[in-house]
Amino acid sequence: MEGVSTSSLPTLPAVPASGRPDVTARLREALIGASFTADGLLELLGAPAYAALARSETVPALRATRGDTPLAVLVRLFLLQQPVPYARVADVVPVDACLESGWLVRVGGAEVAATVDVRPYGGPDGEDWFIVSDLGCAVGGAGGIGSRDEGVVLGVGGASTTLAGLTVRTPVASALDLGTGSGIQALHAVQHATRVTATDLNPRALHITALTLALSGAPAADLREGSLFEPLKQGETYDLIVSNPPFVISPGARLTYRDGGMGGDDLCRSVVQGAGELLNEGGFAQFLANWQHVEGEDWQDRLRSWVPRGCDAWVVQREVQDVTQYAELWLRDAGDHRGDPAEYQALYDAWLDEFEARKVRAVGFGWITLRRTGSAMPSVTVEEWPHPVEQPLGDTVRAHFERLDYLRANDDAALLEAHFRLAPEIIQEQVGLPGAEDPEHVVLRQHRGMRRATKVDTVGAGFAGVCDGSLSAGRILDAIAQLMGEDPVMLRDRTPAQIRLLVEQGFLEPA
């Protein structure tokens, strides 16, 4: 989660001054000059040590940076938080200017240390970006840092990159990043939005977002202090809203970098519902969220009730954990398992008490996308898809809603007159017992995007196989009817539903 919210940060060190753009520009030039980039980091560390960083394990990276090259110096200084001799740093970055502006501090007389983490981050088009965060947070998410201080601003994590990959990247006039944290979503947004607004309850997070944008050589954003939608002005609307909110469902709000502070999943619900009226026509709102699976309630109905009026929605549940797994995950996230066993047990009990009181049996995690629509009959799709997907998915998300528009605008008669082509990289699998003359069923499988698989009958498989855009759907069905000895009128009557499903799921595309 990127929304850190606290106004009192007595134990956290001062962050660099954002009023020295000249120093930030010189530091950026020095970092890139030493290949302190995503590609350079991978080349220096090697794949195993690089992957270990995502697990909050730094020993392999420390071993790989025992040398004295400029890149090794920067990795130890800004990513691994190791003190480095002043003379070595002076060979690589403008050390005195960085000391004066607060990027570095002196320690132990002859050494300097970084005041913030800086992680190289590759942009979607090969840009060299840098994500600034609090010390101990550039690698592997929180890594238990939450138990030290609730005001911490996290760096790049799996949730951040997931949301960035999901987001629809079309040029827009205005974008809003709710709970910006270290500014990852805002950094992506300023590349394709004329105006970007980023909010956070924590002024420290806003300061760090400004550093992330400046060190990445990106345009500035309109940074506003306040909780979620509160800093927005009356009547403001947006073409894109993104949020990786503090979605963890927990008893209370002990760690505000991740805990919503509202009962159950109310924070996620309020974020989704509040976004509807702020979207311009055709605009997208995209979130990561957790939701409760409550005894006696269909979780899909729960999510449908969140969707604001006037919006299409696509909700994808990626994972479900029972309440014990969920409590253990987030207790470990905060490092509570490394403390006093009695205190850990008490915290665990409190989580289970909270879930029991709310009759929660499990917690779902996934993605929610809204699109403002003028249709009188908005479409709401809520599905479970725990299987691997191909990131980035932004184009897949956009295409999903474009297909909704197409299907709404075309009744069955229009579908039969339309021309379709098979989507790229679709394969057909025949499933059955070895040696059997005919397959039990046929499966169409995508190798791109959501990587869906769907069963089709003989007609559906034959239809999809000849869709190259040259013949109308009706003419293809007439030919299939003749080959199979079926009544063409009956085949035309019963097949549009299957065509509609194949279009909706992205197997067929209107030609």
Side-chain angles (χ1 to χ4, degrees):
M1 281 65 64
E2 295 164 6
V4 184
S5 27
T6 182
S7 57
S8 178
L9 304 164
T11 65
L12 292 173
V15 292
S18 56
R20 294 292 306 272
D22 57 323
V23 177
T24 304
R26 290 169 62 194
L27 177 58
R28 171 177 169 78
E29 183 179 351
L31 296 180
I32 294 176
S35 296
F36 186 65
T37 62
D39 290 340
L41 193 62
L42 178 59
E43 183 176 349
L44 173 68
L45 300 183
Y50 190 84
L53 290 178
R55 303 190 300 270
S56 302
E57 297 291 350
T58 58
V59 171
L62 288 168
R63 292 172 62 87
T65 55
R66 287 171 173 171
D68 213 23
T69 66
L71 179 54
V73 168
L74 292 177
V75 172
R76 293 179 72 85
L77 181 67
F78 283 114
L79 195 60
L80 303 178
Q81 301 95 55
Q82 301 296 305
V84 179
Y86 174 97
R88 285 299 300 119
V89 177
D91 291 337
V92 186
V93 302
V95 63
D96 291 332
C98 288
L99 286 167
E100 181 185 349
S101 60
W103 285 98
L104 302 174
V105 293
R106 287 188 177 272
V107 292
E111 294 183 317
V112 298
T115 57
V116 288
D117 278 349
V118 177
R119 175 158 187 156
Y121 182 74
D125 296 317
E127 302 95 339
D128 290 319
W129 292 343
F130 302 95
I131 307 301
V132 181
S133 62
D134 272 315
L135 294 175
C137 295
V139 173
I145 196 169
S147 60
R148 297 207 317 264
D149 197 299
E150 66 174 18
V152 70
V153 179
L154 301 188
V156 182
S160 303
T161 55
T162 294
L163 180 59
L166 284 172
T167 303
V168 175
R169 301 294 176 193
T170 54
V172 295
S174 56
L176 171 65
D177 177 14
L178 289 173
T180 188
S182 56
I184 301 166
Q185 310 307 325
L187 176 58
H188 279 275
V190 294
Q191 311 304 313
H192 63 101
T194 304
R195 173 176 60 88
V196 174
T197 301
T199 71
D200 203 292
L201 186 58
N202 181 10
R204 185 183 185 87
L206 296 175
H207 192 105
I208 284 180
T209 291
L211 295 175
T212 290
L213 295 173
L215 194 59
S216 298
D222 179 7
L223 306 178
R224 302 185 191 177
E225 183 180 344
S227 178
L228 300 175
F229 301 110
E230 288 177 2
L232 305 184
K233 300 172 184 175
Q234 185 72 25
E236 282 186 315
T237 56
Y238 298 87
D239 303 307
L240 174 67
I241 299 173
V242 292
S243 184
N244 178 17
F247 55 62
V248 176
I249 300 170
S250 60
R254 184 169 63 102
L255 302 176
T256 49
Y257 72 81
R258 65 170 203 195
D259 301 332
M262 298 184 187
D265 52 16
D266 284 353
L267 182 132
C268 289
R269 176 185 54 78
S270 63
V271 168
V272 173
Q273 291 181 336
E277 63 185 28
L278 297 177
L279 281 177
N280 294 323
E281 186 72 20
F284 286 92
Q286 299 184 261
F287 317 98
L288 300 185
N290 277 182
W291 44 79
Q292 299 173 147
H293 286 229
V294 179
E295 182 179 341
E297 177 186 70
D298 187 314
W299 70 269
Q300 294 182 322
D301 290 341
R302 184 180 191 86
L303 270 296
R304 288 189 185 96
S305 73
W306 290 10
V307 178
R309 295 181 60 184
C311 289
D312 291 327
W314 184 19
V315 181
V316 181
Q317 179 168 272
R318 295 288 289 157
E319 184 180 0
V320 180
Q321 291 185 321
D322 67 49
V323 292
T324 59
Q325 292 174 311
Y326 189 81
E328 290 162 13
L329 169 67
W330 294 110
L331 287 168
R332 290 178 180 275
D333 170 81
D336 293 314
H337 62 299
R338 296 195 292 264
D340 176 32
E343 183 177 352
Y344 174 80
Q345 183 175 340
L347 289 169
Y348 200 152
D349 266 334
W351 283 68
L352 296 186
D353 285 345
E354 178 80 5
F355 285 134
E356 185 175 345
R358 294 180 177 275
K359 297 183 178 181
V360 176
R361 296 294 175 260
V363 177
F365 168 81
W367 321 321
I368 299 175
T369 300
L370 307 176
R371 186 191 59 165
R372 192 77 187 176
T373 178
S375 171
M377 297 183 64
S379 169
V380 178
T381 301
V382 182
E383 63 176 320
E384 187 164 16
W385 190 254
H387 310 294
V389 298
E390 182 191 45
Q391 282 275 35
L393 274 171
D395 287 345
T396 299
V397 173
R398 176 183 48 78
H400 168 87
F401 288 93
E402 289 176 349
R403 292 193 299 270
L404 289 183
D405 287 341
Y406 175 83
L407 292 172
R408 267 196 295 243
N410 290 273
D411 59 16
D412 288 354
L415 287 185
L416 292 174
E417 294 298 320
H419 294 236
F420 299 96
R421 65 170 62 93
L422 194 64
E425 297 193 38
I426 302 293
I427 64 170
Q428 177 179 301
E429 300 173 355
Q430 295 185 343
V431 181
L433 293 173
E437 183 175 344
D438 296 315
E440 292 180 15
H441 57 263
V442 177
V443 173
L444 299 181
R445 187 179 301 277
Q446 301 169 347
H447 277 218
R448 303 294 301 274
M450 291 294 286
R451 295 179 174 168
R452 295 188 186 278
T454 187
K455 290 182 183 180
V456 290
D457 59 18
T458 305
V459 173
F463 180 86
V466 298
C467 278
D468 61 3
S470 62
L471 297 175
S472 69
R475 289 187 62 187
I476 293 174
L477 291 178
D478 289 344
I480 291 175
Q482 186 174 0
L483 286 172
M484 298 180 63
E486 289 201 32
D487 183 338
V489 176
M490 293 185 64
L491 194 60
R492 279 174 170 254
D493 284 344
R494 67 180 173 86
T495 307
Q498 190 169 190
I499 296 173
R500 194 171 289 275
L501 179 63
L502 291 174
V503 172
E504 180 181 348
Q505 295 189 341
F507 290 93
L508 294 178
E509 299 174 345

